Amino acid sequence: TKILDIQNLKKKYHETEVLKDISETVEKGQVICVIGPSGAGKSTFLRCLTLLEQPTDGHILFEGTDLTSLKEVQLDELREKMGMVFQSFNLFPNMSVLDNIKLAPMKVKNMAEDQATQTAQKLLAQVGLSDKGDEFPTNLSGGQQQRVAIARALAMQPEVMLFDEPTSALDPEMVGDVLKVMQDLAKEGMTMVVVTHEMGFARSVADQIWFMDGGYIQEKGTPEDFFEHP
Ligand code: ADP
Ligand code: ADP
C-alpha cells in the first residue's frame, strides 16, 4: 500500500524553480534513498513531504489524505506520524536525554509518565544508549545525539521516518553507529525516505534510489541498477 503519493510537486522561491515536477510514490516498508549534488533540491523536497515547506503546486497524499488541503491543526495530527531527523540534532539542551524522548508522547499523546519512561528506555536500548538517559545532550557526542534524535522521533510511533542528511554533520568515526541504527530500522520494516551522501548505505539498504538534480528526479532504480549497471 502507498504511504506517500507525491503528485506533480513544484516549489518556487521567488522566481527560482527548485522543484520542477515530481510525481513519485513510497510504498509501506520501502526504503528510499534520495541522492544528488548539492543544490539539487533534496532538502526542499523532504521538507515539502511534511509541508514544513509549502509546495507551490501539486499534492502530497499521506495514507490517502491530501496534506495540501488540510488546516494547520489537522496537519499537525498527521505530522505526528511522520518522524523527521535532520542534520542538526535539535535536542532540547536543558532536558535530560530521557526527558527529550518522553516529551512528545506525554504532551501530544497524553501518555502517562511511567509508560513514557518505559518506552523511552526501550528506545534508548534500541539505539545503543541504555546508559545515557540521565545525561544532558551536550555531554554526548554528535553521533550519540543523533541516535537520541532518532529515538525521540520513534517515540511517536511514526508510520514513516524522513532523514535529511543525518550523518553529514558528524565526525567520520560516529557515522557508522548512526547508519547501523537506521539499517536496523529498515530491517524491522520501517518506511524510510533518506537524503544522504552515504553511497554504501544507499547501496546496501535502499529498495530504491532516486537521483535528484536540477529539481527533478532524473533517475530512479534499485541499487543494482545504480551500482552494477552504470
Ligand atoms: P539540496 O538539499 O539538494 O542541497 P536544497 O533543497 O537545500 O538542495 O536547495 C535547492 C535550491 O533551493 C538551492 O539553490 C537553494 O539555494 C535554494 N533554496 C533552498 N531553500 C531556499 C529558501 N528558503 N529560499 C530561497 N532559496 C532556497
Ligand atoms: P542544505 O543543502 O543542507 O539544505 P543549505 O545551506 O542549502 O543546506 O540551506 C540551509 C538553510 O538555508 C535551509 O533552511 C534553506 O531553506 C535555506 N536557504 C538555502 N538557500 C537559500 C537562499 N538562496 N535563500 C534563502 N534561504 C536559503
Side-chain angles (χ1 to χ4, degrees):
T1 53
K2 278 182 209 168
I3 285 218
L4 281 167
D5 189 356
I6 303 148
Q7 301 177 342
N8 303 103
L9 171 63
K10 295 179 189 168
K11 178 66 183 177
K12 271 192 201 174
Y13 291 113
H14 310 288
E15 292 309 300
T16 315
E17 272 190 295
V18 174
L19 301 178
K20 290 181 181 161
D21 189 358
I22 299 181
S23 296
E24 298 292 345
T25 58
V26 180
E27 301 281 333
K28 194 170 171 57
Q30 243 184 349
V31 178
I32 309 288
C33 283
V34 182
I35 64 173
S38 182
K42 305 181 299 296
S43 184
T44 303
F45 173 68
L46 206 69
R47 289 199 306 267
C48 281
L49 296 185
T50 54
L51 266 77
L52 280 180
E53 202 80 69
Q54 184 72 41
T56 308
D57 203 358
H59 300 274
I60 308 290
L61 277 64
F62 174 65
E63 296 182 327
T65 305
D66 188 352
L67 299 183
T68 55
S69 72
L70 297 182
K71 300 227 161 62
E72 200 63 31
V73 180
Q74 302 164 297
L75 192 54
D76 281 343
E77 261 173 41
L78 285 181
R79 278 203 192 106
E80 289 164 18
K81 302 184 187 178
M82 309 169 95
M84 294 275 304
V85 176
F86 301 93
Q87 195 173 320
S88 53
F89 329 118
N90 304 320
L91 298 172
F92 303 111
N94 301 321
M95 282 184 199
S96 72
V97 160
L98 212 54
D99 286 343
N100 262 279
I101 300 171
K102 283 159 61 176
L103 186 70
M106 287 173 63
K107 280 223 154 172
V108 181
K109 291 198 161 179
N110 292 316
M111 193 184 276
E113 174 145 25
D114 53 349
Q115 197 195 338
T117 306
Q118 264 185 20
T119 306
Q121 265 157 353
K122 208 181 92 211
L123 289 168
L124 273 180
Q126 187 179 335
V127 300
L129 296 172
S130 292
D131 55 341
K132 300 294 185 195
D134 294 330
E135 297 282 353
F136 283 87
T138 43
N139 291 334
L140 303 185
S141 71
Q144 291 171 334
Q145 289 186 55
Q146 190 60 300
R147 284 184 280 152
V148 173
I150 293 171
R152 185 177 58 174
L154 291 173
M156 292 299 285
Q157 298 185 290
E159 298 290 328
V160 59
M161 286 284 286
L162 308 175
F163 294 85
D164 191 359
E165 300 198 21
T167 58
S168 295
L170 302 178
D171 292 335
E173 67 271 23
M174 313 281 175
V175 169
D177 290 340
V178 173
L179 293 180
K180 172 70 167 57
V181 165
M182 293 167 62
Q183 181 162 16
D184 289 347
L185 266 185
K187 270 195 204 138
E188 286 169 21
M190 178 61 77
T191 310
M192 296 166 47
V193 181
V194 185
V195 173
T196 188
H197 295 289
E198 297 288 341
M199 290 305 134
F201 179 84
R203 180 174 191 156
S204 60
V205 181
D207 296 303
Q208 266 197 22
I209 296 175
W210 296 353
F211 173 73
M212 188 179 276
D213 197 6
Y216 292 105
I217 309 275
Q218 302 276 7
E219 286 188 54
K220 62 176 177 174
T222 63
E224 293 73 42
D225 294 334
F226 271 81
F227 295 108
E228 279 151 46
H229 311 282

